Coordinates of all heavy atoms in Angstrom, one line a residue:
M491 N -25.5 -21.9 11.4 CA -25.1 -21.1 10.3 C -24.5 -19.8 10.8 O -25.0 -19.3 11.8 CB -26.3 -20.8 9.4 CG -26.0 -20.0 8.2 SD -27.3 -19.6 7.1 CE -28.5 -20.9 7.3
G492 N -23.4 -19.4 10.2 CA -22.7 -18.2 10.7 C -23.4 -16.9 10.1 O -24.3 -17.0 9.3
H493 N -22.9 -15.8 10.6 CA -23.5 -14.5 10.2 C -23.4 -14.3 8.7 O -24.2 -13.6 8.1 CB -22.9 -13.4 11.0 CG -23.1 -13.5 12.5 ND1 -22.1 -13.8 13.4 CD2 -24.3 -13.3 13.2 CE1 -22.7 -13.8 14.6 NE2 -23.9 -13.5 14.5
A494 N -22.3 -14.8 8.1 CA -22.1 -14.5 6.7 C -23.0 -15.4 5.8 O -23.2 -15.2 4.6 CB -20.7 -14.8 6.3
E495 N -23.6 -16.5 6.4 CA -24.4 -17.4 5.7 C -23.7 -18.1 4.5 O -24.3 -18.5 3.5 CB -25.7 -16.8 5.2 CG -26.6 -16.3 6.4 CD -27.9 -15.7 6.0 OE1 -28.2 -15.6 4.8 OE2 -28.6 -15.3 6.9
Y496 N -22.4 -18.3 4.7 CA -21.6 -18.9 3.7 C -21.7 -20.4 3.8 O -21.8 -21.1 2.8 CB -20.1 -18.5 3.9 CG -19.2 -19.2 2.9 CD1 -19.1 -18.8 1.6 CD2 -18.3 -20.2 3.3 CE1 -18.3 -19.5 0.7 CE2 -17.4 -20.8 2.5 CZ -17.4 -20.5 1.1 OH -16.6 -21.1 0.3
A497 N -21.7 -21.0 5.0 CA -21.7 -22.4 5.2 C -23.2 -22.9 5.4 O -24.1 -22.1 5.7 CB -21.0 -22.8 6.5
K498 N -23.4 -24.1 5.1 CA -24.7 -24.8 5.4 C -24.9 -24.9 6.9 O -24.0 -24.9 7.7 CB -24.7 -26.1 4.7 CG -24.6 -26.1 3.2 CD -24.7 -27.4 2.6 CE -24.5 -27.2 1.1 NZ -24.5 -28.5 0.4
P499 N -26.2 -24.9 7.3 CA -26.5 -25.0 8.7 C -25.8 -26.2 9.3 O -25.7 -27.3 8.8 CB -28.0 -25.3 8.7 CG -28.5 -24.6 7.5 CD -27.4 -24.8 6.4
G500 N -25.2 -26.0 10.5 CA -24.5 -27.0 11.2 C -23.0 -27.1 10.9 O -22.2 -27.8 11.5
R501 N -22.6 -26.3 9.8 CA -21.2 -26.3 9.4 C -20.5 -25.0 9.8 O -21.2 -24.0 9.9 CB -21.1 -26.5 7.9 CG -21.8 -27.7 7.3 CD -21.2 -29.0 7.5 NE -19.8 -28.9 7.0 CZ -18.9 -29.8 7.1 NH1 -19.1 -30.8 7.9 NH2 -17.7 -29.7 6.6
P502 N -19.2 -25.0 10.0 CA -18.5 -23.8 10.4 C -18.5 -22.8 9.2 O -18.3 -23.2 8.1 CB -17.1 -24.3 10.7 CG -17.1 -25.7 10.8 CD -18.3 -26.2 10.0
D503 N -18.8 -21.6 9.6 CA -18.8 -20.5 8.6 C -17.4 -19.8 8.6 O -17.2 -19.0 9.5 CB -19.9 -19.5 8.9 CG -20.2 -18.5 7.8 OD1 -19.2 -18.1 7.1 OD2 -21.3 -18.1 7.6
V504 N -16.6 -20.2 7.6 CA -15.2 -19.7 7.6 C -15.2 -18.2 7.4 O -14.2 -17.5 7.9 CB -14.3 -20.4 6.6 CG1 -14.2 -21.8 6.9 CG2 -14.9 -20.2 5.2
I505 N -16.1 -17.6 6.7 CA -16.1 -16.1 6.5 C -16.4 -15.4 7.8 O -15.7 -14.5 8.2 CB -17.0 -15.7 5.4 CG1 -16.6 -16.3 4.0 CG2 -17.1 -14.2 5.3 CD1 -17.5 -16.1 2.9
C506 N -17.4 -15.9 8.5 CA -17.8 -15.3 9.8 C -16.6 -15.4 10.7 O -16.3 -14.4 11.4 CB -19.1 -16.0 10.3 SG -19.6 -15.3 11.9
A507 N -16.0 -16.6 10.8 CA -14.9 -16.8 11.7 C -13.7 -15.8 11.4 O -13.1 -15.2 12.2 CB -14.5 -18.2 11.7
A508 N -13.4 -15.7 10.1 CA -12.3 -14.8 9.7 C -12.6 -13.4 10.0 O -11.7 -12.7 10.5 CB -12.0 -15.0 8.2
V509 N -13.8 -12.9 9.7 CA -14.2 -11.5 10.0 C -14.1 -11.3 11.5 O -13.6 -10.2 11.9 CB -15.5 -11.2 9.4 CG1 -16.0 -9.9 9.8 CG2 -15.5 -11.2 7.8
S510 N -14.6 -12.2 12.2 CA -14.6 -12.0 13.7 C -13.2 -12.0 14.2 O -12.9 -11.1 15.0 CB -15.3 -13.2 14.4 OG -16.7 -13.2 14.1
A511 N -12.3 -12.9 13.8 CA -10.9 -12.9 14.2 C -10.2 -11.5 13.8 O -9.5 -11.0 14.7 CB -10.2 -14.0 13.6
L512 N -10.4 -11.1 12.6 CA -9.8 -9.8 12.2 C -10.3 -8.6 12.9 O -9.5 -7.8 13.4 CB -10.0 -9.6 10.7 CG -9.2 -10.5 9.7 CD1 -9.7 -10.4 8.3 CD2 -7.8 -10.0 9.8
T513 N -11.6 -8.5 13.1 CA -12.1 -7.3 13.7 C -11.9 -7.3 15.2 O -11.4 -6.3 15.8 CB -13.6 -7.2 13.5 OG1 -14.3 -8.3 13.9 CG2 -13.9 -6.9 12.0
I514 N -12.1 -8.4 15.9 CA -11.9 -8.5 17.3 C -10.4 -8.3 17.6 O -10.0 -7.6 18.6 CB -12.4 -9.7 18.0 CG1 -14.0 -9.7 17.9 CG2 -12.0 -9.9 19.4 CD1 -14.7 -11.0 18.1
G515 N -9.5 -9.0 16.8 CA -8.1 -8.8 17.0 C -7.6 -7.4 16.8 O -6.8 -6.9 17.6
T516 N -8.2 -6.7 15.8 CA -7.8 -5.3 15.6 C -8.2 -4.4 16.7 O -7.5 -3.6 17.2 CB -8.4 -4.8 14.3 OG1 -7.9 -5.6 13.2 CG2 -8.0 -3.4 14.0
V517 N -9.5 -4.6 17.2 CA -10.0 -3.8 18.3 C -9.1 -4.0 19.6 O -8.7 -3.1 20.2 CB -11.5 -4.1 18.6 CG1 -11.9 -3.5 20.0 CG2 -12.3 -3.6 17.5
N518 N -8.8 -5.3 19.8 CA -7.9 -5.6 21.0 C -6.5 -5.0 20.8 O -6.0 -4.4 21.8 CB -7.8 -7.1 21.2 CG -9.1 -7.7 21.7 OD1 -9.9 -7.1 22.2 ND2 -9.2 -9.0 21.5
S519 N -6.0 -5.0 19.6 CA -4.7 -4.4 19.4 C -4.7 -2.9 19.5 O -3.8 -2.3 20.0 CB -4.2 -4.8 18.0 OG -3.9 -6.2 17.9
L520 N -5.8 -2.3 19.0 CA -5.9 -0.8 19.2 C -5.9 -0.4 20.6 O -5.3 0.6 21.0 CB -7.2 -0.3 18.5 CG -7.2 -0.3 16.9 CD1 -8.6 -0.2 16.4 CD2 -6.3 0.8 16.4
E521 N -6.6 -1.2 21.4 CA -6.7 -0.8 22.9 C -5.4 -1.2 23.6 O -4.9 -0.3 24.3 CB -7.9 -1.6 23.5 CG -9.2 -1.1 23.1 CD -10.4 -1.8 23.8 OE1 -10.4 -3.1 23.8 OE2 -11.3 -1.1 24.3
E522 N -5.0 -2.4 23.5 CA -3.9 -2.9 24.3 C -2.5 -2.5 23.8 O -1.6 -2.2 24.6 CB -3.9 -4.4 24.4 CG -5.2 -4.9 25.1 CD -5.3 -4.4 26.5 OE1 -4.3 -4.4 27.3 OE2 -6.4 -4.1 26.9
L523 N -2.3 -2.6 22.5 CA -0.9 -2.3 21.9 C -0.7 -0.8 21.6 O 0.3 -0.3 21.7 CB -0.7 -3.1 20.7 CG -0.7 -4.6 20.9 CD1 -0.5 -5.4 19.6 CD2 0.3 -5.1 21.9
A524 N -1.8 -0.2 21.1 CA -1.7 1.2 20.7 C -2.2 2.2 21.7 O -1.9 3.4 21.7 CB -2.5 1.4 19.4
G525 N -2.9 1.7 22.7 CA -3.4 2.5 23.8 C -4.6 3.4 23.4 O -4.8 4.5 24.1
E526 N -5.3 3.1 22.4 CA -6.4 3.9 22.0 C -7.6 3.8 22.9 O -7.8 2.7 23.5 CB -6.9 3.5 20.6 CG -5.9 3.8 19.5 CD -5.6 5.2 19.1 OE1 -6.3 6.1 19.6 OE2 -4.6 5.5 18.4
K527 N -8.3 4.9 23.1 CA -9.6 4.9 23.9 C -10.7 4.7 22.9 O -10.9 5.5 22.0 CB -9.7 6.2 24.7 CG -8.6 6.5 25.6 CD -8.6 5.5 26.8 CE -7.5 6.0 27.8 NZ -6.8 4.9 28.4
L528 N -11.5 3.6 23.1 CA -12.6 3.3 22.2 C -13.9 3.2 22.8 O -14.0 2.8 24.0 CB -12.3 1.9 21.5 CG -10.9 1.7 20.9 CD1 -10.7 0.3 20.5 CD2 -10.6 2.7 19.8
N529 N -14.9 3.5 22.1 CA -16.3 3.3 22.5 C -16.8 2.2 21.6 O -16.9 2.4 20.4 CB -17.2 4.5 22.4 CG -16.7 5.6 23.4 OD1 -16.5 5.3 24.5 ND2 -16.6 6.8 22.9
I530 N -17.1 1.0 22.2 CA -17.5 -0.1 21.3 C -18.9 -0.5 21.6 O -19.4 -0.6 22.7 CB -16.6 -1.3 21.7 CG1 -15.1 -1.0 21.4 CG2 -17.0 -2.6 20.9 CD1 -14.1 -1.9 22.0
S531 N -19.6 -0.7 20.5 CA -21.0 -1.2 20.5 C -21.0 -2.6 19.7 O -20.4 -2.6 18.6 CB -22.0 -0.3 19.8 OG -21.9 1.0 20.4
K532 N -21.6 -3.6 20.3 CA -21.7 -4.9 19.6 C -22.9 -5.6 19.9 O -23.6 -5.4 20.9 CB -20.4 -5.7 19.9 CG -20.3 -6.1 21.4 CD -19.0 -6.8 21.7 CE -19.0 -7.1 23.1 NZ -17.8 -7.9 23.5
D533 N -23.2 -6.5 19.0 CA -24.4 -7.4 19.1 C -23.9 -8.8 18.6 O -23.8 -9.0 17.4 CB -25.6 -6.9 18.4 CG -26.8 -7.8 18.6 OD1 -26.7 -9.0 19.0 OD2 -27.9 -7.3 18.4
E534 N -23.5 -9.7 19.4 CA -23.0 -11.0 19.0 C -24.0 -11.8 18.2 O -23.6 -12.6 17.3 CB -22.4 -11.7 20.2 CG -21.2 -11.1 20.8 CD -20.7 -11.8 22.0 OE1 -21.0 -13.0 22.2 OE2 -19.8 -11.2 22.7
K535 N -25.3 -11.6 18.5 CA -26.3 -12.4 17.8 C -26.4 -12.0 16.3 O -26.5 -12.9 15.5 CB -27.7 -12.2 18.5 CG -28.8 -13.0 17.9 CD -30.0 -12.9 18.7 CE -31.1 -13.8 18.1 NZ -32.3 -13.7 18.9
T536 N -26.2 -10.7 16.0 CA -26.3 -10.3 14.6 C -24.9 -10.1 14.0 O -24.8 -10.0 12.8 CB -27.0 -8.9 14.5 OG1 -26.3 -7.9 15.2 CG2 -28.4 -9.0 15.1
G537 N -23.9 -10.1 14.8 CA -22.6 -9.9 14.3 C -22.2 -8.4 14.1 O -21.2 -8.1 13.5
F538 N -23.0 -7.6 14.7 CA -22.7 -6.1 14.6 C -21.6 -5.7 15.5 O -21.5 -6.1 16.6 CB -24.0 -5.3 15.0 CG -23.8 -3.9 15.0 CD1 -23.9 -3.1 13.8 CD2 -23.6 -3.2 16.2 CE1 -23.8 -1.8 13.8 CE2 -23.4 -1.8 16.2 CZ -23.5 -1.1 15.0
L539 N -20.7 -4.8 14.9 CA -19.6 -4.3 15.7 C -19.4 -2.8 15.2 O -19.2 -2.6 14.1 CB -18.3 -5.1 15.5 CG -17.0 -4.5 16.2 CD1 -17.2 -4.5 17.7 CD2 -15.8 -5.3 15.7
K540 N -19.4 -1.9 16.2 CA -19.1 -0.5 15.9 C -18.1 0.0 16.9 O -18.2 -0.3 18.1 CB -20.4 0.3 16.0 CG -20.2 1.8 15.8 CD -21.5 2.6 15.9 CE -21.2 4.1 15.7 NZ -22.4 4.9 15.9
C541 N -17.1 0.7 16.3 CA -16.0 1.2 17.2 C -15.8 2.6 16.9 O -15.4 3.0 15.8 CB -14.8 0.3 16.8 SG -13.3 0.8 17.8
D542 N -16.1 3.5 17.9 CA -15.8 4.9 17.8 C -14.6 5.3 18.6 O -14.4 4.8 19.7 CB -17.0 5.7 18.4 CG -18.3 5.5 17.6 OD1 -18.2 5.6 16.3 OD2 -19.4 5.3 18.2
F543 N -13.7 6.1 18.0 CA -12.5 6.5 18.6 C -12.7 7.8 19.3 O -13.3 8.7 18.8 CB -11.4 6.7 17.5 CG -11.2 5.4 16.7 CD1 -11.8 5.2 15.5 CD2 -10.3 4.4 17.2 CE1 -11.6 4.0 14.8 CE2 -10.1 3.2 16.5 CZ -10.8 3.0 15.3
E544 N -12.1 7.9 20.5 CA -12.3 9.1 21.3 C -11.4 10.3 20.8 O -11.6 11.4 21.2 CB -12.0 8.8 22.8 CG -13.1 8.0 23.4 CD -12.9 7.8 24.9 OE1 -12.0 8.4 25.5 OE2 -13.7 7.0 25.5
S545 N -10.3 10.0 20.1 CA -9.4 11.0 19.6 C -8.9 10.6 18.2 O -9.2 9.5 17.7 CB -8.3 11.2 20.6 OG -7.5 10.0 20.7
T546 N -8.1 11.5 17.6 CA -7.4 11.2 16.3 C -6.5 10.0 16.5 O -5.8 9.9 17.5 CB -6.6 12.4 15.9 OG1 -7.5 13.5 15.8 CG2 -6.0 12.2 14.5
L547 N -6.5 9.1 15.5 CA -5.7 7.9 15.6 C -4.2 8.2 15.4 O -3.8 9.1 14.6 CB -6.1 6.9 14.5 CG -7.5 6.3 14.7 CD1 -7.7 5.3 13.5 CD2 -7.6 5.6 16.0
Q548 N -3.4 7.4 16.2 CA -2.0 7.5 16.0 C -1.6 6.8 14.7 O -2.4 6.0 14.1 CB -1.3 6.7 17.2 CG -1.7 7.2 18.5 CD -1.2 6.2 19.6 OE1 0.0 6.0 19.7 NE2 -2.1 5.6 20.3
E549 N -0.3 7.0 14.3 CA 0.1 6.4 13.0 C 0.0 4.8 13.1 O -0.4 4.2 12.1 CB 1.6 6.8 12.7 CG 2.1 6.3 11.4 CD 3.5 6.8 11.1 OE1 3.9 7.9 11.6 OE2 4.2 6.1 10.3
K550 N 0.4 4.3 14.2 CA 0.4 2.8 14.3 C -1.1 2.3 14.3 O -1.4 1.2 13.8 CB 1.1 2.3 15.6 CG 0.6 2.8 16.9 CD 1.6 2.3 18.0 CE 1.3 3.1 19.3 NZ 2.3 2.7 20.3
S551 N -2.0 3.1 14.8 CA -3.4 2.7 14.8 C -4.0 2.8 13.4 O -4.8 1.9 13.0 CB -4.2 3.6 15.7 OG -3.7 3.5 17.1
N552 N -3.6 3.8 12.7 CA -4.0 3.9 11.3 C -3.5 2.6 10.5 O -4.2 2.1 9.7 CB -3.4 5.1 10.6 CG -4.3 6.3 10.9 OD1 -5.5 6.2 10.9 ND2 -3.7 7.4 11.1
F553 N -2.2 2.2 10.8 CA -1.7 1.0 10.2 C -2.5 -0.2 10.5 O -2.8 -1.0 9.6 CB -0.2 0.8 10.6 CG 0.4 -0.4 9.9 CD1 0.9 -0.3 8.6 CD2 0.5 -1.6 10.7 CE1 1.4 -1.5 8.1 CE2 1.1 -2.7 10.1 CZ 1.5 -2.6 8.8
L554 N -2.9 -0.4 11.8 CA -3.7 -1.5 12.2 C -5.1 -1.5 11.4 O -5.5 -2.5 11.0 CB -4.0 -1.5 13.7 CG -2.8 -1.8 14.6 CD1 -3.1 -1.5 16.0 CD2 -2.4 -3.3 14.4
M555 N -5.7 -0.3 11.3 CA -7.0 -0.2 10.6 C -6.8 -0.5 9.1 O -7.6 -1.2 8.5 CB -7.6 1.2 10.8 CG -8.0 1.5 12.3 SD -9.3 0.4 12.8 CE -10.6 0.9 11.8
D556 N -5.7 0.0 8.5 CA -5.5 -0.3 7.1 C -5.3 -1.8 6.9 O -5.7 -2.3 5.9 CB -4.3 0.5 6.6 CG -4.5 2.0 6.5 OD1 -5.7 2.4 6.5 OD2 -3.5 2.7 6.4
S557 N -4.5 -2.4 7.8 CA -4.3 -3.9 7.7 C -5.6 -4.7 7.8 O -5.8 -5.6 7.0 CB -3.3 -4.3 8.8 OG -3.1 -5.7 8.7
M558 N -6.4 -4.3 8.7 CA -7.7 -5.0 8.8 C -8.6 -4.8 7.6 O -9.1 -5.7 7.0 CB -8.5 -4.5 10.1 CG -9.9 -5.1 10.2 SD -10.9 -4.3 11.5 CE -11.3 -2.8 10.6
T559 N -8.6 -3.5 7.1 CA -9.4 -3.2 5.9 C -8.9 -4.0 4.7 O -9.7 -4.6 3.9 CB -9.4 -1.7 5.6 OG1 -9.9 -1.0 6.7 CG2 -10.2 -1.4 4.4
F560 N -7.6 -4.0 4.5 CA -7.0 -4.8 3.4 C -7.4 -6.3 3.5 O -7.8 -6.9 2.5 CB -5.4 -4.6 3.5 CG -4.7 -5.4 2.5 CD1 -4.6 -5.0 1.2 CD2 -4.0 -6.6 2.9 CE1 -3.9 -5.8 0.3 CE2 -3.3 -7.4 2.0 CZ -3.2 -7.0 0.7
S561 N -7.3 -6.9 4.7 CA -7.6 -8.3 4.8 C -9.1 -8.5 4.6 O -9.5 -9.5 3.9 CB -7.3 -8.8 6.2 OG -5.9 -8.7 6.4
L562 N -10.0 -7.7 5.1 CA -11.4 -7.8 4.8 C -11.8 -7.7 3.4 O -12.6 -8.5 2.8 CB -12.2 -6.8 5.7 CG -12.2 -7.0 7.2 CD1 -12.8 -5.8 7.9 CD2 -12.9 -8.3 7.6
E563 N -11.1 -6.7 2.7 CA -11.4 -6.6 1.2 C -10.9 -7.8 0.5 O -11.6 -8.2 -0.5 CB -10.7 -5.3 0.7 CG -11.5 -4.1 1.2 CD -10.8 -2.8 0.9 OE1 -9.5 -2.8 0.6 OE2 -11.4 -1.7 0.9
N564 N -9.8 -8.4 0.9 CA -9.3 -9.6 0.2 C -10.3 -10.8 0.4 O -10.5 -11.5 -0.5 CB -8.0 -10.0 0.8 CG -6.8 -9.2 0.2 OD1 -7.0 -8.7 -0.9 ND2 -5.7 -9.1 0.8
I565 N -10.9 -10.9 1.6 CA -11.9 -11.9 1.8 C -13.1 -11.7 0.9 O -13.6 -12.6 0.3 CB -12.3 -12.0 3.3 CG1 -11.1 -12.5 4.2 CG2 -13.5 -12.9 3.5 CD1 -11.3 -12.3 5.7
S566 N -13.5 -10.5 0.8 CA -14.7 -10.1 0.0 C -14.4 -10.5 -1.5 O -15.3 -11.0 -2.1 CB -15.0 -8.6 0.1 OG -16.1 -8.3 -0.7
R567 N -13.2 -10.2 -2.0 CA -12.9 -10.5 -3.3 C -12.8 -12.0 -3.5 O -13.2 -12.6 -4.6 CB -11.5 -9.9 -3.7 CG -11.6 -8.4 -4.1 CD -10.3 -7.9 -4.8 NE -9.2 -7.8 -3.9 CZ -9.0 -6.8 -3.0 NH1 -9.8 -5.8 -3.0 NH2 -8.0 -6.9 -2.2
E568 N -12.2 -12.7 -2.6 CA -12.1 -14.2 -2.7 C -13.4 -14.9 -2.6 O -13.6 -15.9 -3.4 CB -11.1 -14.7 -1.6 CG -10.9 -16.1 -1.5 CD -9.9 -16.6 -2.6 OE1 -9.1 -15.8 -3.1 OE2 -10.0 -17.8 -3.0
Y569 N -14.3 -14.6 -1.7 CA -15.5 -15.3 -1.5 C -16.7 -14.7 -2.1 O -17.8 -15.3 -2.2 CB -15.7 -15.5 0.0 CG -14.7 -16.5 0.6 CD1 -13.6 -16.1 1.2 CD2 -15.0 -17.9 0.5 CE1 -12.6 -17.0 1.7 CE2 -14.0 -18.8 1.0 CZ -12.9 -18.3 1.6 OH -12.0 -19.2 2.1
G570 N -16.6 -13.4 -2.5 CA -17.7 -12.7 -3.1 C -18.5 -11.7 -2.2 O -18.6 -12.0 -1.0
R571 N -18.9 -10.7 -2.8 CA -19.7 -9.6 -2.1 C -21.0 -10.2 -1.6 O -21.6 -9.5 -0.7 CB -19.9 -8.4 -3.0 CG -18.6 -7.7 -3.3 CD -18.8 -6.5 -4.2 NE -19.9 -5.6 -3.8 CZ -19.8 -4.6 -2.9 NH1 -18.6 -4.4 -2.3 NH2 -20.8 -3.9 -2.6
K572 N -21.4 -11.3 -2.0 CA -22.7 -11.9 -1.5 C -22.5 -12.2 0.0 O -23.5 -12.1 0.7 CB -23.0 -13.2 -2.3 CG -24.2 -13.9 -1.7 CD -24.4 -15.2 -2.5 CE -25.6 -16.0 -1.9 NZ -25.8 -17.3 -2.6
Y573 N -21.3 -12.5 0.4 CA -21.1 -12.9 1.8 C -20.4 -11.8 2.6 O -20.6 -11.8 3.8 CB -20.2 -14.2 1.8 CG -20.8 -15.3 1.0 CD1 -20.3 -15.7 -0.2 CD2 -21.9 -16.0 1.5 CE1 -20.9 -16.8 -0.9 CE2 -22.6 -17.0 0.9 CZ -22.0 -17.4 -0.4 OH -22.6 -18.4 -1.0
L574 N -19.7 -10.9 2.0 CA -19.0 -9.9 2.7 C -18.9 -8.6 1.9 O -18.3 -8.7 0.8 CB -17.6 -10.3 3.2 CG -16.7 -9.3 3.9 CD1 -17.4 -8.8 5.2 CD2 -15.4 -9.8 4.2
Q575 N -19.4 -7.6 2.4 CA -19.3 -6.3 1.7 C -18.5 -5.3 2.7 O -18.9 -5.2 3.8 CB -20.6 -5.7 1.3 CG -21.4 -6.5 0.3 CD -22.8 -6.0 0.1 OE1 -23.0 -4.8 0.3 NE2 -23.7 -6.8 -0.4
V576 N -17.5 -4.7 2.2 CA -16.7 -3.8 3.0 C -17.1 -2.4 2.6 O -16.9 -2.0 1.4 CB -15.2 -4.0 2.8 CG1 -14.4 -3.0 3.7 CG2 -14.8 -5.5 3.2
K577 N -17.5 -1.6 3.5 CA -17.9 -0.2 3.3 C -17.2 0.6 4.3 O -17.3 0.5 5.5 CB -19.4 0.0 3.4 CG -19.9 1.4 3.1 CD -21.4 1.5 2.9 CE -22.2 1.4 4.1 NZ -23.6 1.7 4.0
I578 N -16.4 1.6 3.8 CA -15.6 2.5 4.7 C -16.4 3.8 4.8 O -16.7 4.4 3.7 CB -14.2 2.7 4.1 CG1 -13.5 1.4 3.8 CG2 -13.4 3.6 5.0 CD1 -13.3 0.5 4.9
E579 N -16.6 4.2 6.0 CA -17.3 5.5 6.2 C -16.6 6.3 7.3 O -16.5 5.8 8.4 CB -18.7 5.2 6.6 CG -19.6 6.4 6.8 CD -21.0 6.1 7.1 OE1 -21.5 5.0 6.6 OE2 -21.6 6.8 7.9
E580 N -16.1 7.5 6.9 CA -15.4 8.3 7.9 C -16.4 9.4 8.3 O -17.1 9.9 7.5 CB -14.2 9.0 7.4 CG -13.1 8.0 7.1 CD -11.8 8.6 6.7 OE1 -11.5 9.7 7.3 OE2 -11.1 8.1 5.9
V581 N -16.6 9.6 9.6 CA -17.5 10.6 10.1 C -16.8 11.6 11.0 O -15.7 11.3 11.5 CB -18.7 10.0 10.9 CG1 -19.6 9.2 9.9 CG2 -18.2 9.0 11.9

């Protein structure tokens, strides 16, 4: 069963896979394409991912983050908040 618990045990969890692809792809793009310096904390067992930025984001990095957020919110609307809740918190 995936972290989203959308699929039955033994079946692929499409929500977990989509969220993983979006978040990992965005983090990789922020580092490799935008050159951002990131402090990343993760726990693959629980699906936890935290990304702290060392400086103010560039315009292209803001665009990448907005794109990821937009896609995650669409998944949440499509499959329901039971499986994915998007919470934005700026600190």
Side-chain angles (χ1 to χ4, degrees):
M491 185 180 328
H493 296 109
E495 298 182 358
Y496 177 74
K498 295 179 181 176
R501 305 286 302 171
D503 190 327
V504 296
I505 296 175
C506 182
V509 169
S510 295
L512 283 167
T513 56
I514 293 167
T516 300
V517 167
N518 289 340
S519 294
L520 287 164
E521 288 181 314
E522 298 298 322
L523 301 177
E526 296 290 351
K527 302 289 186 217
L528 310 173
N529 294 314
I530 300 168
S531 304
K532 63 183 177 178
D533 183 340
E534 292 178 16
K535 186 174 181 177
T536 64
F538 176 81
L539 174 66
K540 180 180 178 183
C541 182
D542 292 316
F543 302 94
E544 291 186 2
S545 61
T546 304
L547 293 182
Q548 306 168 59
E549 186 176 335
K550 60 185 166 184
S551 300
N552 277 320
F553 180 80
L554 288 168
M555 292 297 294
D556 288 344
S557 177
M558 179 190 71
T559 302
F560 175 78
S561 297
L562 291 171
E563 288 172 341
N564 281 337
I565 293 170
S566 180
R567 277 191 294 277
E568 179 74 24
Y569 290 94
R571 291 179 49 84
K572 175 181 176 184
Y573 302 107
L574 175 62
Q575 296 176 21
V576 179
K577 183 167 76 171
I578 308 299
E579 184 178 323
E580 291 187 39
V581 291

